[in-house]
Amino acid sequence: MGCRGCNKAVRTDDDFIGDVVRIAPNELVFGNPQAATDIYLSHDKSLETFVKTDIHDFAKENDGGLIWQQDPLRHRQIAKQVAPAFSQKAIRATDPVIHHYVDIFVARLKELGSAQDGINLSDWTQWLAMDIAADMAYSHRVDCMKEARNSAYLNAVLSFNKFATMTQVFSRFPWIGFLRFAVFPVSLLGQLMQLRKASLNEMHRRLSLQGATEHADYFDQLAPAAGHAGNNQDEILHLSKISTQLMFAGYLPPSDWYYGTFFHLLHTREALETLTQEVRAAFTSYEEITPSAAQQLPYLEACMKEALRLFPTSALINGMPVYSPGAVVDGNYIPRSTTCQFSSFSVARNPKYFRDPFLYRPQRWLPADHSMYSERYSGDQLDAFTPFSQGPRMCSGKEVAWWQARLVLAKVLWLLDMEMVPGQRVDLEKNLKGWGYWVKPELKVKFMAVDR
């Protein structure tokens, strides 16, 4: 297989077959870890040389905020502005907030989870993630867990899902743009307008609370800019976009990660029993459990990594598309303006890099001196999997996500036993749906308080 316009053909030796696929006349997807390094780590003075395309820019208003921002210089400026919110000092300062919501989560599972039908894991992990994300982004309490239902704000967020995918389709095939009125019903467009209105309302509400919130939030990092915003509607819209994107980033990936980890533990009894033993042996009381203490549990870390490998928190299975500046990717010259992307999803399922790729095997992530280490997985190329991406566009909230997820898993497993409600057959490879983001299948789970 060769690349049209490339200076040299793509290699065809047995070890390379399938490592690059043309998915459009001028668009390539790579499935080799070296390609990810060449594409996403390539930068000059911290500015990426493979510039992000506009396929994920749903605003189309010359203002991509942080996540949708194409301009490398502007992206770096905004990233620096919000970076202090994700420092270790800032993360540790959020401990009381995170404990508050995780404790509500555990209490609600204890209260409702012992019923014959259990609880819907998809709903509750979503509500937990949204409660945390809204409070950390805007100091806004949406109380999804307290009310045991989607808040109006969450419903507005969920309405964006199919719209995101269809917008990308019309961007790729503008000649079918006339169909958008058939695809997007008036009710959906109304929901999207509601989301935009809700985001602006959140911005104005948060601006009015400057210096009067119960705790620091991500918006505090935008405070210097907010102080100069005044009645400048363009600046307020820009700040609203960044804050909303931070809220999305704090809600979607954690929601999927919690669900995916619980899902695979419930379907792999040995892993669940081993992790439960590790957690309960590490703490003598519920109050002892902290994110930093949970960080010392190697099997917990391994279980979370393996869940992330099998169920990545992004539905963009082909990765983030960028434009080649005219450069070599994995030994092949890719002409300027060719769209390139790296599929970590396919790498995670490739037996060249992970043995038994479709099986949940936390032991592949353990150090060799751990009792559960298996020589069977010694040849796995663990650094081939980069769920948080890499380079200048690497997820800023990576450590925040780990901090929260460790606490969720440790507190739940210390206090509660869990099991699937009998009679269910849920297969993520078949039942998971992906639009702009994942639609997770319903999974009924029973949670029972441990008798101590």
Side-chain angles (χ1 to χ4, degrees):
M1 173 181 172
C3 291
R4 184 182 303 170
C6 295
N7 284 358
K8 73 183 228 184
V10 175
R11 293 172 296 189
T12 58
D13 56 279
D14 291 342
D15 290 335
F16 193 78
I17 292 176
D19 278 353
V20 58
V21 177
R22 187 191 304 281
I23 63 172
N26 198 40
E27 188 166 355
L28 303 173
V29 176
F30 292 86
N32 186 302
Q34 181 58 48
T37 299
D38 294 339
I39 293 171
Y40 299 125
L41 279 180
S42 177
H43 59 88
D44 180 24
K45 298 179 181 179
S46 298
L47 298 177
E48 64 261 36
T49 52
F50 284 74
V51 177
K52 187 177 182 295
T53 72
D54 68 349
I55 195 67
H56 297 146
D57 183 355
F58 305 107
K60 309 298 183 184
E61 296 170 345
N62 298 319
D63 180 5
L66 172 63
I67 297 175
W68 302 341
Q69 182 60 247
Q70 285 183 267
D71 182 350
L73 180 59
R74 184 67 176 136
H75 176 268
R76 185 179 66 178
Q77 291 170 341
I78 299 172
K80 283 184 176 181
Q81 186 179 350
V82 302
F86 305 112
S87 67
Q88 276 297 317
K89 180 180 179 181
I91 293 172
R92 290 177 183 275
T94 67
D95 270 6
V97 181
I98 307 307
H99 276 285
H100 170 75
Y101 287 110
V102 175
D103 289 344
I104 293 176
F105 181 66
V106 173
R108 295 295 268 161
L109 295 186
K110 181 179 178 181
E111 175 189 356
L112 305 173
S114 60
Q116 183 176 356
D117 292 335
I119 60 97
N120 181 3
L121 186 66
S122 177
D123 283 341
W124 281 93
T125 51
Q126 186 162 269
W127 294 337
L128 166 63
M130 176 51 75
D131 277 358
I132 294 175
D135 204 353
M136 289 309 305
Y138 292 117
S139 289
H140 181 194
R141 295 193 174 182
V142 293
D143 290 330
C144 291
M145 291 188 291
K146 181 180 177 180
E147 303 294 335
R149 60 181 175 83
N150 290 355
S151 66
Y153 191 61
L154 177 54
N155 282 330
V157 169
L158 294 175
S159 70
F160 184 69
N161 199 358
K162 291 185 179 180
F163 172 83
T165 296
M166 297 312 300
T167 297
Q168 292 177 7
V169 170
F170 291 131
S171 178
R172 288 176 183 271
F173 306 104
W175 52 272
I176 62 170
F178 69 93
L179 293 175
R180 71 177 67 246
F181 299 105
V183 174
F184 298 146
V186 174
S187 60
L188 175 59
L189 295 176
Q191 288 175 323
L192 294 173
M193 291 300 295
Q194 180 183 354
L195 175 59
R196 179 165 181 162
K197 182 179 179 180
S199 297
L200 284 172
N201 287 342
E202 281 301 306
M203 173 58 56
H204 287 292
R205 183 194 63 82
R206 183 58 184 82
L207 283 169
S208 71
L209 293 176
Q210 283 297 82
T213 56
E214 294 181 7
H215 59 80
D217 57 26
Y218 299 151
F219 188 84
D220 283 321
Q221 299 309 132
L222 303 174
H228 296 293
N231 293 319
N232 186 326
Q233 293 304 307
D234 288 341
E235 183 64 22
I236 290 176
L237 183 62
H238 172 67
L239 296 173
S240 173
K241 194 167 295 181
I242 296 174
S243 296
T244 301
Q245 289 174 358
L246 291 176
M247 185 279 299
F248 262 91
Y251 153 66
L252 287 172
S255 171
D256 293 341
W257 199 1
Y258 305 152
Y259 177 94
T261 306
F262 283 126
F263 177 95
H264 286 294
L265 288 171
L266 287 162
H267 284 79
T268 315
R269 197 70 200 178
E270 181 185 11
L272 176 58
E273 292 175 353
T274 301
L275 179 56
T276 301
Q277 291 172 6
E278 180 186 63
V279 170
R280 293 178 185 174
F283 306 104
T284 58
S285 71
Y286 181 82
E287 290 69 28
E288 284 183 6
I289 304 173
T290 64
S292 55
Q295 191 173 5
Q296 309 308 313
L297 306 182
Y299 198 73
L300 172 64
E301 200 95 347
C303 286
M304 293 168 62
K305 286 181 178 179
E306 183 69 349
L308 202 55
R309 182 185 70 83
L310 284 172
F311 182 19
T313 59
S314 171
L316 307 175
I317 61 175
N318 283 336
M320 182 179 72
V322 294
Y323 294 121
S324 169
V328 173
V329 177
D330 192 30
N332 301 278
Y333 179 79
I334 307 301
R336 183 179 180 85
S337 298
T338 302
T339 298
C340 303
Q341 50 213 303
F342 169 69
S343 176
S344 61
F345 184 91
S346 62
V347 166
R349 285 159 171 72
N350 192 330
K352 287 168 45 177
Y353 306 114
F354 295 95
R355 191 165 187 172
D356 305 326
F358 291 95
L359 298 180
Y360 183 73
R361 295 293 182 262
Q363 52 266 44
R364 74 174 82 242
W365 300 96
L366 294 171
D369 60 355
H370 193 279
S371 61
M372 292 292 293
Y373 173 78
S374 173
E375 186 70 27
R376 178 176 177 80
Y377 302 105
S378 61
D380 283 11
Q381 190 174 330
L382 302 181
D383 59 358
F385 186 53
T386 54
F388 296 94
S389 192
Q390 50 190 317
R393 294 273 179 172
M394 183 172 66
C395 175
S396 301
K398 173 183 176 180
E399 295 306 321
V400 174
W402 272 104
W403 199 251
Q404 295 177 10
R406 291 187 189 103
L407 187 65
V408 171
L409 268 293
K411 282 198 166 185
V412 168
L413 293 179
W414 193 90
L415 196 65
L416 304 170
D417 288 326
M418 64 179 186
E419 63 182 29
M420 285 193 299
V421 172
Q424 300 178 95
R425 294 183 64 84
V426 181
D427 183 345
L428 282 186
E429 297 295 325
K430 296 179 180 178
N431 303 130
L432 188 65
K433 298 178 180 178
W435 292 88
Y437 35 92
W438 298 119
V439 178
K440 300 178 285 293
E442 178 180 280
L443 183 66
K444 292 296 186 71
V445 184
K446 295 183 70 173
F447 290 87
M448 292 77 64
V450 176
D451 185 14
R452 284 190 174 90

